[in-house]
Amino acid sequence: MKNFSAYLNTTGEIGYVEQVAEAIIYVSGLPKAKPDEIVIFETGEFGQVFSVQPNYVEILIFSKKNINQGTRVTRTNEVLKIPVGYELLGRVIDPLGKPLGNVKPLKTPTEKRPIDTPAAGIVKRRPVTKPFETGILLVDLAIPLGHGQRELIVGDRKTGKTSFLTRTILNQTRRGNICVYAAIGKKKLDVKKAEEFFAKNGVLDKIVIIASGSGDSTGVIYLTPYTAMTISEYFRDDGKDVLLVLDDLSSHAKFYREISLLGRRFPGRNSYPSDIFYTHARLMERAGNFITEKGEASITCLTVAEAAAGDLSGYIETNLMSMTDGHLYFDKNLFYEGRRPAINPFLSVTRVGKQTQTQLRRDVNREIMSFLSLYEKMQSFIHFGAELNENVKATLATGEMIINFFNQAINEVVPINLQIVAFSMLWANMWRRQDTAVIRTQLHQILQAYNSDKEIRARIDKLIENDSFNSLLGVLKAEGPQIIKAVSQKYGN
Ligand code: ATP
Ligand code: MG
């Protein structure tokens, strides 16, 4: 960008700061200012026109530096643009596109894009048809997602939402897709942790992290999800499947509320401005499955919302639910019970994911969901202290085994083919009468074998060619014990 006097010469309009209200600055003397236009202060700071009033304009400022009354301001006739390109991969940047931290110097991409653009129309959209794999057993088997789906991740504080997302990112990068992670107003330490997790697993070069800290100016935090979406759109237009994670939009809403109240907008429900729904919906609309010049490409958007005390009916949460294609509910009670991930399958929804499934996966899915609901019912039974018959006892034992099977270590992602085969082995009682610790070890060994042994991998992948659950179980009768044996010979102790 040019400097203050260069802009002053071209636009010829000079304004003065009248009043400063933290992130919002009132400026008079810019009669031709347009909404979203960038203005520049004589001190070198930038801001964006937030609203235009008859005698003054409100400017949203992007820095924390104090601006004094009487400072001169001029228009630029430009909107906010950020650099986009493959150079951003492996980097942590701020929402204005500047690199953070002291890693290798950033080769600045040459292309720039405005960050707030309208969503693509119906002509460019395609139905969601490709399955999206998170690597988390409970989600892929029971609440499956599709590429281009928008899914809300909702739950109380500290229920494992971010750990779920970072593992999903890990799984997606391993499948060759690009991921964009927006940390909105997060602690620096949390961003660092995520970055280290990706670096440790060697996938950082497929990820762009856009981070704003709680100490940054409100204006910058507000921009974070838009920047992330714009970067995702760049990769999508290049024909890539992108996973975009917005962590989280409830704090984004809070920062937007702060700005709006400072800008004296009329407060609505819970003091949020009346356009909060529009603000988020316009953003979420930009995700989906599209047809581009380079073929079909998608932006899968996983959006986090924080619920308070397990309440799913909060204002922002319900808004977001109505903009997305379903939600995964992270249940605090399940988290305290020790379930990892603490997703409640009965209160979670996926609206388009199931249509992407093969017949085999659909069978497995149906089997799991009907069994889990049976198990839930039986559990309420025990509370009455009723005498249990053998059938009920068997169901409870199987249920416990399946719940344990879904418990996943914090760094573990499981490829989908292995998920299906491992579940089928469990279902076919191949590990019956062994305690959960043994099953866990064996599962871990199979995972190890699947990742490193071509032959075992081929055998497992071949099983997935069965087109129904029943035929898979049939083949597994002979093949299953052999796989278990081969694995424990190689990796057992
Ligand atoms: P916040 O509300 O702060 O964003 P969150 O919902 O994103 O929290 P996380 O930070 O992901 O939750 O996780 C909370 C805690 O639970 C962390 O200490 C994490 O180590 C632990 N945790 C999450 N998932 C697992 C797991 N699968 N196994 C073991 N520990 C886990
Ligand atoms: Mg989190």
Side-chain angles (χ1 to χ4, degrees):
M1 276 186 105
K2 293 176 277 188
N3 63 16
F4 176 76
S5 44
Y7 280 116
L8 187 56
N9 284 338
T10 48
T11 58
E13 253 180 55
I14 188 153
Y16 294 93
V17 173
E18 296 287 340
Q19 194 192 341
V20 179
E22 295 197 44
I24 294 285
I25 294 181
Y26 296 86
V27 172
S28 63
L30 296 177
K32 287 202 187 128
K34 302 182 286 279
D36 287 349
E37 185 178 349
I38 294 294
V39 297
I40 181 167
F41 295 82
E42 62 179 327
T43 47
E45 261 72 54
F46 293 100
Q48 188 181 28
V49 176
F50 188 59
S51 85
V52 181
Q53 306 295 339
N55 300 322
Y56 61 92
V57 289
E58 289 170 12
I59 309 289
L60 178 64
I61 179 113
F62 295 141
S63 89
K64 283 228 113 174
K65 240 169 119 184
N66 285 336
I67 302 276
N68 295 329
Q69 236 176 9
T71 308
R72 293 185 301 160
V73 191
T74 188
R75 293 170 45 219
T76 61
N77 228 346
E78 287 169 15
V79 292
L80 186 63
K81 287 184 176 172
I82 50 138
V84 289
Y86 282 89
E87 293 86 345
L88 295 177
L89 288 174
R91 306 306 304 261
V92 185
I93 58 170
D94 74 2
L96 297 170
K98 289 199 201 71
L100 294 170
N102 50 358
V103 269
K104 59 182 176 185
L106 175 62
K107 228 179 103 219
T108 316
T110 44
E111 188 177 338
K112 283 190 160 193
R113 288 193 177 191
I115 66 163
D116 198 357
T117 52
I122 189 94
V123 179
K124 291 200 168 154
R125 290 182 184 263
R126 286 289 174 273
V128 172
T129 49
K130 258 194 292 176
F132 174 92
E133 280 125 32
T134 61
I136 308 297
L137 295 153
L138 182 58
V139 177
D140 289 346
L141 293 177
I143 321 153
L145 309 178
H147 272 289
Q149 181 163 357
R150 292 155 300 180
E151 185 84 359
L152 188 67
I153 310 298
V154 59
D156 276 47
R157 292 192 53 234
K158 296 276 168 241
T159 45
K161 302 183 294 296
T162 304
S163 341
F164 163 73
L165 291 166
T166 45
R167 273 182 292 165
T168 304
I169 292 179
L170 173 62
N171 196 46
Q172 281 298 310
T173 48
R174 283 192 180 155
R175 304 181 64 82
N177 297 328
I178 286 176
C179 299
V180 177
Y181 178 59
I184 305 169
K186 292 274 163 216
K187 280 188 260 152
K188 280 209 176 82
L189 183 69
D190 289 342
V191 179
K192 195 85 208 145
K193 255 198 222 159
E195 189 190 348
E196 271 166 9
F197 175 74
F198 299 137
K200 198 177 75 195
N201 286 288
V203 295
L204 194 57
D205 58 348
K206 292 239 176 59
I207 301 172
V208 186
I209 300 177
I210 296 103
S212 56
S214 39
D216 285 338
S217 89
T218 325
V220 168
I221 299 175
Y222 166 71
L223 293 179
T224 321
Y226 298 97
T227 302
M229 184 60 87
T230 307
I231 293 172
S232 309
E233 283 175 341
Y234 171 82
F235 293 120
R236 181 224 34 212
D237 291 343
D238 200 38
K240 299 276 191 299
D241 281 325
V242 184
L243 164 63
L244 168 65
V245 171
L246 302 175
D247 195 1
D248 61 304
L249 278 197
S250 23
S251 25
H252 182 254
K254 282 183 194 131
F255 286 110
Y256 186 57
R257 170 170 70 184
E258 186 180 324
I259 298 171
S260 299
L261 290 174
L262 288 169
R264 298 185 204 146
R265 293 213 179 151
F266 195 75
R269 186 171 154 192
N270 290 3
S271 301
Y272 286 106
S274 50
D275 67 343
I276 184 72
F277 186 92
Y278 170 71
T279 305
H280 283 166
R282 196 181 43 168
L283 177 70
M284 300 303 290
E285 269 304 297
R286 290 164 71 182
N289 195 25
F290 302 89
I291 183 83
T292 67
E293 280 167 16
K294 305 227 168 143
E296 213 170 289
S298 63
I299 299 178
T300 310
C301 185
L302 298 180
T303 306
V304 181
E306 200 178 286
D311 181 13
L312 280 177
S313 58
Y315 181 34
I316 300 300
E317 294 90 298
T318 46
N319 272 357
L320 287 168
M321 271 179 205
S322 61
M323 294 166 204
T324 45
D325 310 307
H327 57 266
L328 300 178
Y329 177 48
F330 282 72
D331 196 326
K332 194 173 57 179
N333 296 333
L334 295 185
F335 191 83
Y336 291 152
E337 276 172 26
R339 301 255 285 264
R340 304 280 185 279
I343 299 172
N344 186 330
F346 304 113
L347 292 178
S348 298
V349 178
T350 171
R351 292 199 186 93
V352 290
K354 282 191 186 150
Q355 77 199 26
T356 65
Q357 308 277 289
T358 57
Q359 189 57 45
L360 174 62
R361 278 187 72 182
R362 235 174 271 184
D363 284 358
V364 173
N365 183 274
R366 188 162 6 91
E367 211 69 67
I368 291 178
M369 286 314 279
S370 58
F371 181 81
L372 283 182
S373 62
L374 177 72
Y375 175 63
E376 278 286 305
K377 267 189 223 143
M378 296 246 170
Q379 269 203 320
S380 45
F381 229 56
I382 347 179
H383 293 304
F384 294 123
E387 202 164 297
L388 306 176
N389 65 25
E390 286 308 312
N391 257 344
V392 177
K393 273 187 197 155
T395 310
L396 288 175
T398 314
E400 214 160 285
M401 201 161 66
I402 289 180
I403 296 290
N404 272 316
F405 170 76
F406 283 134
N407 265 342
Q408 214 166 321
I410 192 148
N411 294 330
E412 196 175 74
V413 291
V414 185
I416 181 69
N417 287 359
L418 181 58
Q419 291 189 16
I420 296 172
V421 170
F423 175 76
S424 310
M425 285 178 172
L426 190 78
W427 192 250
N429 281 335
M430 279 174 195
W431 287 318
R432 242 295 144 76
R433 269 179 263 111
Q434 290 181 339
D435 63 77
T436 48
V438 176
I439 296 183
R440 270 255 77 90
T441 337
Q442 290 198 343
L443 262 177
H444 193 75
Q445 284 169 1
I446 295 194
L447 180 63
Q448 225 182 338
Y450 187 85
N451 285 336
S452 59
D453 188 314
K454 270 207 192 104
E455 193 213 317
I456 288 175
R457 190 189 186 114
R459 278 171 83 168
I460 288 174
D461 286 347
K462 185 142 180 34
L463 287 169
I464 302 301
E465 286 165 18
N466 287 288
D467 54 5
S468 75
F469 193 37
N470 277 339
S471 64
L472 172 62
L473 288 179
V475 181
L476 209 58
K477 242 180 224 150
E479 182 74 348
Q482 279 182 29
I483 293 180
I484 294 181
K485 205 170 139 204
V487 169
S488 61
Q489 266 170 6
K490 250 194 171 141
Y491 297 89
N493 29 30

